[in-house]
Amino acid sequence: MDKLPSEILLHILDYTVVAHYDNKNSLLELRTTCKLFDEVLKPYVLKTLQLEFTRLDKSYRARKPLDDDALRRIGPLCRALYVDMMVVRDDGEVSFLGEMFAQIPTMARFVENLQDGWCMNEESFTEIDYRRQLGFMLEHAPNVTAVKLNLPFQLVSPGQYRASTMVLGNTFAALAQRPEESETLKTLVLENLSDISVVSLWCNPQDVKNIMGAFRDLRRLFMSVRRNDEEDGQAHTVHFRNRLWEMIGKAEKLESLCLVDLDTDEKPHKDIKTSSQRDWTLEDWQFRCLPTIRRPPKSVLPHLTFLELRQVEVMGCGLLSMFKCFGGSLRDLYLDGVYLKTVYSAESPQDVDNTLWIGLPNVRPPPNHRWIATYLRQIRVQLRVCRVANLGYDQYVTGEAPPPRTATYDLADPCGLSRSLEQRFVEVTTGVAQPPAPDGAPVVYYPEEPSQEAWALAQAAPRGGGQLRTEDWHASFYLATQRNPTSAWQRSIDGQFPNCNQYTLKALHSFADAASRGMALLNQTADDDEPVRDV
């Protein structure tokens, strides 16, 4: 090895890093080979610092606490921070489980273990311990510019997210109070963000100040959001909608935004899914949608270039409001698993086409109609990349009328080529000329006003002159082969190694299995107590 030129050896080690993408521990072992290996591999394997429950827990400590001296030595090499607090249990969650399993003696140990070992308290660790340790890490890692925070993942939602709110608030405080010579935060990933936490933090001026400090130079933001059913549902929804966009708006330099709704149904995709008042009230059904920008943030995110919406339900007005706010700077749009909400009333069945992904061909959109692709052309959004997958309609049927079987929206290809809704959406949005209908008639998507036709009717040809390739319109295919500018940090905060904590996954599975056994015993007890009826 001593005879190899240093350039070749460095090239070999570069490929070694790539080959060990899913096995960072192997690279850590290779560091011990020699001093050269240590010097070359150190910037890769020490690029991300990790803080998890096992590093803080004082009662059942599975791993040694972070070595302060080692942290001082390696801190300047770190560029990213991965904080995983998913296993932390909430006091309200544990109390709810305790009351539910009160009649099952065998579950008492499980509930007690959750309370003593997995909640934030003097026995495990307190929020002061968390804040102190996180602040110490950031103090000695001044070059950290990317942070991923996994907030507590609750098995049940009794209405309390105190632990999640404490972790989130203290994280923002630590980020905002870093030493002045530290690099500013550029990338932030927030997993399992609860609506209650967002609203709660916005009631405290100091928390708002900390958020502003952490967001002041932010360029890339990923947020996966969970929502909770509150007693004052409508008022809470309004507060959350306003606070969420106010918080995002504090990142005035934001260039990339990805929003994911963790409460949206993950069942196999349907072109049309139908709900009625037997399933939800109209207000509850509307509550499940992505918060609408009713009062745009003061900055209006003037630099937002990349936008991804994944696994969300949206109102047509909300989506148009978003595009209107960001249309001037938006260049890349990714939609995956997005359902457009529509309301069907038997009293006015003609309104079924009020909200459409594309629109109807050869007619102008009537007043108060929301045709998304047509509107994007109409307001001259100049997208260089548009990729979508799994678009659909979330239909709410009012009254007692059965779901309309004739409501096909714009799912059928008017050109008779059996193209998917997603492909046609991308074509119309990007101005690709449509083939003629089967009878030879032209297929054109008009804007609202004739004066808008000069831009809206731009007749671009597909790349290569033929039909679009799958990777030219399908979000998943495209992002699998291209640099992901919106959500790559969810998997790898440093762009080098995937963020995966097997301890967390095993612990959460253990909690879920124990709770499932308890539910089975509870159901069995209820069946045994049911009186036998005479035949």
Side-chain angles (χ1 to χ4, degrees), residues 245 290-294 296 300 307 309 314-328 330 333 335 338 340-341 354-359 365-379 381 425 429 448:
W245 285 111
L290 182 72
T292 301
I293 305 178
R294 293 287 174 84
V300 197
L307 175 64
L309 303 179
V314 294
M315 301 294 290
C317 59
L319 197 56
L320 297 186
S321 174
M322 192 179 302
F323 291 144
K324 186 175 181 180
C325 286
F326 310 142
L330 193 62
L333 175 64
L335 305 175
V338 181
L340 195 58
K341 285 182 170 290
N354 278 5
T355 304
L356 297 173
W357 274 115
I358 301 173
N368 300 319
H369 280 51
R370 303 176 182 95
W371 296 354
I372 307 301
T374 304
Y375 182 81
L376 284 170
R377 294 297 302 172
Q378 182 176 304
I379 64 174
V381 174
F425 177 87
T429 299
E448 290 184 7

Side-chain angles (χ1 to χ4, degrees), residues 84-285:
D84 186 2
M85 294 289 114
M86 287 182 68
V87 298
V88 176
R89 300 296 88 198
D90 192 277
D91 289 329
E93 174 190 24
V94 176
S95 297
F96 180 84
L97 290 172
E99 293 175 3
M100 185 168 62
F101 295 141
Q103 300 178 2
I104 312 295
T106 56
M107 295 301 296
R109 180 68 179 273
F110 166 67
V111 175
E112 182 181 350
N113 181 47
L114 288 181
Q115 183 67 60
D116 295 340
W118 300 96
C119 290
M120 296 174 67
N121 53 49
E122 295 293 340
E123 298 298 324
S124 57
F125 70 93
T126 65
E127 63 174 315
I128 296 176
D129 296 328
Y130 172 77
R131 172 68 179 83
R132 182 188 299 115
Q133 184 62 66
L134 182 58
F136 184 78
M137 294 174 70
L138 289 171
E139 178 184 354
H140 293 285
N143 297 316
V144 165
T145 61
V147 172
K148 178 177 181 180
L149 172 62
N150 285 355
L151 291 160
F153 179 88
Q154 289 191 226
L155 298 177
V156 294
S157 301
Q160 297 292 327
Y161 281 82
R162 183 171 173 269
S164 181
T165 303
M166 286 193 297
V167 170
L168 183 63
N170 281 284
T171 302
F172 281 137
L175 290 171
Q177 297 168 21
R178 296 173 68 185
E180 291 185 3
E181 63 273 13
S182 299
E183 294 284 342
T184 55
L185 188 66
K186 298 294 196 302
T187 303
L188 179 61
V189 175
L190 297 176
E191 293 269 25
N192 301 317
L193 178 66
S194 81
D195 55 348
I196 294 179
S197 295
V198 173
V199 174
S200 297
L201 291 183
W202 221 257
C203 294
N204 187 335
Q206 184 58 52
D207 286 323
V208 175
K209 183 178 179 180
N210 291 336
I211 292 172
M212 294 173 64
F215 278 38
R216 71 180 186 276
D217 204 29
L218 199 64
R219 309 302 169 89
R220 294 165 289 273
L221 177 61
F222 176 100
M223 304 172 72
S224 62
V225 181
R226 291 191 180 279
R227 284 168 295 170
N228 190 69
D229 295 331
E230 287 286 281
E231 293 182 0
D232 56 341
Q234 290 185 350
H236 176 73
T237 301
V238 172
H239 286 310
F240 172 55
R241 179 190 68 208
N242 295 337
R243 301 296 90 80
L244 177 68
W245 285 111
E246 281 187 40
M247 183 170 75
I248 296 174
K250 298 306 178 184
E252 297 185 5
K253 299 179 182 179
L254 196 67
E255 298 171 358
S256 173
L257 174 64
C258 179
L259 295 175
V260 181
D261 188 345
L262 297 176
D263 292 316
T264 299
D265 197 346
E266 298 182 13
K267 292 180 180 178
H269 172 75
K270 294 181 179 179
D271 291 333
I272 303 174
K273 59 180 183 180
T274 302
S275 302
S276 68
Q277 60 188 20
R278 291 187 293 271
D279 306 302
W280 312 88
T281 66
L282 180 60
E283 291 76 17
D284 289 339
W285 175 81

